[in-house]
């Protein structure tokens, strides 16, 4: 680089817009998107270890897609090439491939090819790139605002990890604005800028999760406001409102937001939720959707979902559409609202669907309905989980079921109040009852939208086979417990999970399988457990291996502080965790400090008080009746009064609640066939063990001669198969403070 080029670059950086100057350069400067780049996540580890595979970043503008690519460029040792799909053609791709081959052949360096707006590539361009991604000549990093399942070559998608970036939260945007105002080199730290709280709140609110829109508005406000006599640039609410007046809405009529919004609108009308229907209608009108398109969808719905339950529905909607054609906008909005409210409050019938039953019989190929949710799930169900959890109203009594139609932040808002006149008077009570039932159901967690899948990885068949083989080695009862724990935990692919009792690996390997873009930490207590887990983990790729922590409950905080001080866990899971903890209170209270916001603690805990009595395993005649009765009484006394053995569901719930947890608990009784190994018998009979063995505890109430007779009867069971009864509590807890 010559002196003139260096000077030009410095001038460009100085004159660049604020949003470009404030672009983060390192992971530590990056704000937001903790679900993919937070401590412990796979992507963060891959960037830090410089072990990237092909990636696609998908999300709205201003959420950090290009910034993440720039950070990778700053940290990787690989050769980095960036192109823009709008400007590049097949020739540019070929030139990039030639440079990549040269770097590999001459210097042994990998090449990362960053393609901004990758959805703009046509089929020929994508096909030209695909072979070089497949053979590893380049590692692709794509950035797109469009759903990659719709707009990107399926072969490229299947070979890439997909990370979905979400609109930034208000606290993230505030932090970005404050950084810009404080930074003396790239921001306005050298100026005396004072921004009123309501002015900053307006900028953050109207930016709508877009960091670029926020910084552009902040730049306009600062640059166009002259300093006062004291040299202070004072940003008032009036100045902020002039700088950013209209909320940016992501709504391409051919894109994902268009299909998702109309899908939510139709499902809200079908679900008889007039408030949500008006909200989604307003979203479409505000974004400039064609009203005739909305009317076409309403005309379809009038027959598909209302049908003969209200034969006038099709007449009303058709009349509203005709009236709109005569009146136009903006007054035509009344006709849109009229048709929407009529259908949302009309009785529902899907009797016209009988035609499709007949059609299915004719075609003999049509399958059952695919489950859906408020988002359109045409092609990305497997990747993002769109459509999961949608509850079809026609499947419930009165063709209505309580479920989430409005966004989470708007739950409980009322947009529609029926009048007491005419037709509306007949539906007012029904709307009120359904609204009350829906609010009550959602407050209990019934009908809420399931979490959206935010990441995707292509299948690693070798790793998957190893994990499946490892998981399949568990017994039937343990496999059931493992599956139940993960059903309760609802772990997502990007979560960071802590297995609090990983000695057996029962939960560890399933957690690894379920978090391909997240991370797993496994807590063990002995060197032997640690070595065993490490040997098993060697079969996995390095980035997929769990982080193994050897610590006692009391030293876990110290070990985590040394290895991963910033990591907070989305889920903490464990099986038979509390059995080895003498004092629960401090330990359970301490666990809350490791949990991420909105994280869960999920445990499967055997109930000691309900466990199998060993006296019931001894065959008749092995002991005298008198001794057997004394043993049974001593055993029951032991399980009723000993502080480690008298724990039951109430004890568990009380301990968790006192430690600051909000608890849900269910119990399951198991009866299974188990083989009593000599090692198990020895463990029961070990003398002066720590913690005390079964026989040590029994000595407190049974004499030495009787103990020896009992021990002989138990030794005779070695190698036999017995029916074992147990009870397990499944616990899901969240921090209540």
């Amino acid at each position: 680089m010559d002196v003139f080029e260096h000077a030009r670059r410095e001038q460009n950086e100085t004159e660049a817009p604020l949003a470009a100057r404030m672009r983060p350069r390192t992971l530590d400067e990056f704000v937001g998107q903790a679900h993919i780049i937070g401590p412990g996540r796979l992507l963060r580890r891959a960037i830090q270890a410089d072990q990237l595979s092909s990636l696609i970043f998908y999300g709205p503008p201003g959420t950090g897609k290009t910034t993440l690519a720039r950070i990778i460029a700053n940290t990787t040792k690989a050769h980095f090439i960036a192109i823009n799909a709008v400007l590049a053609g097949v020739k540019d791709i070929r030139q990039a491939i030639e440079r990549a081959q040269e770097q590999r052949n001459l210097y042994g360096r990998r090449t990362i090819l960053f393609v901004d707006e990758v959805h703009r590539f046509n089929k020929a361009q994508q096909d030209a790139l695909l072979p070089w991604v497949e053979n590893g000549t380049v590692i692709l990093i794509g950035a797109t605002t469009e759903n990659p399942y719709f707009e990107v070559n399926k072969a490229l998608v299947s070979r890439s990890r997909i990370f979905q970036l979400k609109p930034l939260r208000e606290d993230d945007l505030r932090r970005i604005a404050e950084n810009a105002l404080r930074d003396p080199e790239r921001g306005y730290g050298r100026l005396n800028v004072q921004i009123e709280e309501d002015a900053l709140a307006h900028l953050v609110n109207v930016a709508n999760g877009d960091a670029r829109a926020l910084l552009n508005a902040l730049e306009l406000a600062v640059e166009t406001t002259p300093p006062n006599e004291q040299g202070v640039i004072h940003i008032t609410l009036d100045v902020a409102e002039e700088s950013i007046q209209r909320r940016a809405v992501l709504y391409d009529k051919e894109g994902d937001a268009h299909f998702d919004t109309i899908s939510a609108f139709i499902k809200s009308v079908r679900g008889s939720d007039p408030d949500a229907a008006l909200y989604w209608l307003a979203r479409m009108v505000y974004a400039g959707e064609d009203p005739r398109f909305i009317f076409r969808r309403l005309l379809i719905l009038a027959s598909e979902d209302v049908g003969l339950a209200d034969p006038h529905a099709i007449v009303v909607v058709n009349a509203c559409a005709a009236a709109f054609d005569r009146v136009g906008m903006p007054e035509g909005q009344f006709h849109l609202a009229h048709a929407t409210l009529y259908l949302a409050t009309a009785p529902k019938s899907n009797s016209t669907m009988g035609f499709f039953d007949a059609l299915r019989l004719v075609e003999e190929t049509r399958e059952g309905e695919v489950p859906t949710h408020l988002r359109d799930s045409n092609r990305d169900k497997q990747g993002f989980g769109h459509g999961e959890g949608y509850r079809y109203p026609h499947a419930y009594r009165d063709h209505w079921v309580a479920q989430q139609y409005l966004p989470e932040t708007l739950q409980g808002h009322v947009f529609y109040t029926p009048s007491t006149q005419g037709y509306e008077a007949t539906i007012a009570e029904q709307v009120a009852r359904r609204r009350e039932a829906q609010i009550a159901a959602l407050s209990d967690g019934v009908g809420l939208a399931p979490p959206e899948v935010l990441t995707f990885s292509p299948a690693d068949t070798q790793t998957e086979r190893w994990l499946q083989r490892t998981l399949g080695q568990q017994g039937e009862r343990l496999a059931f417990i493992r599956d139940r724990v993960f059903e309760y935990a609802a772990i997502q692919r990007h979560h960071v999970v802590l297995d609090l009792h990983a000695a057996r690996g029962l939960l560890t390997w399933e957690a690894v399988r379920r978090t391909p873009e997240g991370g797993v930490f496994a807590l063990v207590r002995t060197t032997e457990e640690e070595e065993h887990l490490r040997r098993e983990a060697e079969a996995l790729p390095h980035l997929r291996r769990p982080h193994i922590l050897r610590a006692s409950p009391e030293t876990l905080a110290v070990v985590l502080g040394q290895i991963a001080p910033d990591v907070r866990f989305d889920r903490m899971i464990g099986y038979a965790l509390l059995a080895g903890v003498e004092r629960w209170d401090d330990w359970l209270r301490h666990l809350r400090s490791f949990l991420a916001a909105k994280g869960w603690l999920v445990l499967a805990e055997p109930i000691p008080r309900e466990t199998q009595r060993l006296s019931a395993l001894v065959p008749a005649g092995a002991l005298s009746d008198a001794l057997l009765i004394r043993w049974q009484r001593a055993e029951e006394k032991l399980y009723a009064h000993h502080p480690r053995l008298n724990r039951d569901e109430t004890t568990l719930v009380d301990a968790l609640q006192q430690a600051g947890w909000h608890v849900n608990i269910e119990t399951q009784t198991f009866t299974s066939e188990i083989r009593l190994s000599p090692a198990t018998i020895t463990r029961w009979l070990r003398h002066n063990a720590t913690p005390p063995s079964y026989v040590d505890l029994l000595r407190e109430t049974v004499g030495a001669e009787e103990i020896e007779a009992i021990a002989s009867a138990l030794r005779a069971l070695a190698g036999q198969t017995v029916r074992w009864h147990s009870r397990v509590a499944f616990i899901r807890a969240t921090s209540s403070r």
Side-chain angles (χ1 to χ4, degrees), residues 90 93-94 97 118 121-134 140 152-156:
V90 173
I93 296 173
R94 288 174 179 162
I97 298 303
V118 67
F121 265 171
N122 59 35
K123 187 177 185 302
Q125 292 168 309
Q126 294 188 36
D127 288 345
L129 180 59
L130 178 60
W132 309 107
V133 174
E134 286 184 325
L140 170 69
V152 179
N153 186 307
K154 290 182 180 179
L156 285 178

Side-chain angles (χ1 to χ4, degrees), residues 104-387:
R104 185 169 64 176
N105 295 335
L106 295 181
Y107 309 109
R109 293 176 68 191
R110 299 174 301 141
T111 295
I112 294 176
L113 175 63
F114 172 60
V115 181
D116 201 6
E117 299 186 81
V118 67
H119 62 279
R120 300 285 188 178
F121 265 171
N122 59 35
K123 187 177 185 302
Q125 292 168 309
Q126 294 188 36
D127 288 345
L129 180 59
L130 178 60
W132 309 107
V133 174
E134 286 184 325
N135 66 20
T137 300
V138 296
I139 296 171
L140 170 69
I141 299 181
T144 175
T145 57
E146 297 296 330
N147 191 325
Y149 290 95
F150 286 78
E151 302 298 337
V152 179
N153 186 307
K154 290 182 180 179
L156 285 178
V157 168
S158 68
R159 288 160 177 78
S160 305
R161 293 185 185 272
I162 296 177
F163 293 92
Q164 185 176 4
L165 283 71
K166 305 299 287 183
L168 295 174
R169 301 176 303 176
E170 289 194 2
D171 55 340
D172 294 330
L173 292 174
R174 283 179 173 273
R175 182 177 164 192
I176 290 170
E178 291 164 358
N179 289 344
L181 292 173
R182 287 197 303 264
D183 193 312
E185 296 181 4
R186 297 182 290 162
Y188 294 120
R190 296 181 180 179
L191 303 177
N192 190 354
V193 179
Q194 294 182 2
I195 183 168
E196 295 180 357
E197 174 57 32
D198 54 356
L200 179 58
H202 175 78
L203 294 178
V204 167
N205 178 43
V206 182
N208 212 29
D210 185 334
R212 188 182 296 107
L214 170 71
L215 291 173
N216 288 343
L218 182 63
E219 180 178 30
L220 182 62
V222 172
E223 299 290 349
T224 59
T225 303
N228 59 20
E229 295 178 355
Q230 290 76 36
V232 176
I233 298 175
H234 190 204
I235 308 299
T236 64
L237 177 60
D238 290 339
V239 173
E241 288 177 341
E242 290 179 0
S243 300
I244 183 168
Q245 298 177 354
R246 180 177 170 89
R247 186 182 307 276
V249 177
L250 179 63
Y251 197 90
D252 183 345
K253 292 183 182 180
E254 298 299 327
D256 204 32
H258 160 78
F259 291 105
D260 285 340
T261 309
I262 190 63
S263 175
F265 171 66
I266 292 300
K267 290 169 183 173
S268 299
V269 175
R270 178 190 294 147
S272 301
D273 190 328
D275 303 310
L278 286 179
Y279 172 77
W280 297 116
L281 176 65
R283 280 270 292 263
M284 290 188 291
V285 171
Y286 183 84
E289 182 60 83
D290 183 358
R292 290 172 178 80
F293 168 74
I294 300 173
F295 271 122
R296 285 197 299 272
R297 295 303 300 266
L298 289 174
L299 283 165
I300 295 168
L301 188 144
S303 290
E304 180 183 356
D305 293 294
V306 177
L308 299 181
D310 184 350
H312 297 292
I314 188 71
V315 178
V316 171
V317 176
N318 195 51
C320 288
F324 178 87
D325 284 338
R326 296 185 66 181
V327 173
M329 293 290 272
E331 291 84 355
Q333 293 174 96
F334 288 113
H335 305 110
L336 278 169
H338 184 164
T340 297
L341 289 174
Y342 189 94
L343 292 181
T345 57
K348 301 299 188 295
S349 170
N350 65 340
S351 59
T352 56
M353 295 295 289
F355 164 76
F356 296 100
D357 292 335
L359 188 61
R360 182 174 60 245
L361 291 175
V362 172
E363 295 176 345
E364 296 184 347
T365 56
R366 186 179 177 90
E367 298 179 354
E369 286 187 315
V370 177
T372 54
H373 179 242
L374 295 187
R375 282 180 175 242
D376 175 67
S377 57
N378 188 29
R379 277 176 285 180
D380 58 4
K381 174 178 178 289
Q382 295 299 323
F384 294 141
H386 294 171

Side-chain angles (χ1 to χ4, degrees), residues 320-469:
C320 288
F324 178 87
D325 284 338
R326 296 185 66 181
V327 173
M329 293 290 272
E331 291 84 355
Q333 293 174 96
F334 288 113
H335 305 110
L336 278 169
H338 184 164
T340 297
L341 289 174
Y342 189 94
L343 292 181
T345 57
K348 301 299 188 295
S349 170
N350 65 340
S351 59
T352 56
M353 295 295 289
F355 164 76
F356 296 100
D357 292 335
L359 188 61
R360 182 174 60 245
L361 291 175
V362 172
E363 295 176 345
E364 296 184 347
T365 56
R366 186 179 177 90
E367 298 179 354
E369 286 187 315
V370 177
T372 54
H373 179 242
L374 295 187
R375 282 180 175 242
D376 175 67
S377 57
N378 188 29
R379 277 176 285 180
D380 58 4
K381 174 178 178 289
Q382 295 299 323
F384 294 141
H386 294 171
E388 290 287 346
Y390 173 61
R391 306 172 77 187
Y392 192 54
H394 296 308
Y396 295 83
R397 196 175 75 176
D398 298 329
H399 295 258
W400 180 85
V401 60
Q403 78 177 314
Q404 179 179 338
Y405 292 107
L406 282 168
E408 184 177 347
T409 56
L410 295 178
Q411 287 304 319
H413 280 244
V414 174
F415 297 98
Y416 172 60
T417 302
S419 72
T420 58
Q421 303 299 312
Y423 168 72
E424 282 193 313
T426 66
I427 64 168
E429 182 180 353
Q430 180 190 63
V431 170
R433 280 191 289 107
R434 286 179 173 174
R435 186 172 283 153
E436 291 165 3
Q438 180 145 311
I439 291 172
L442 295 182
S443 66
D444 290 337
V446 177
L448 287 171
E452 183 184 12
V453 178
L454 300 178
T455 57
F456 166 80
S457 295
D460 181 344
T461 53
Q462 182 176 353
T463 299
E464 189 68 16
R465 281 197 301 269
W466 184 88
L467 287 169
Q468 291 289 2
R469 185 170 63 252

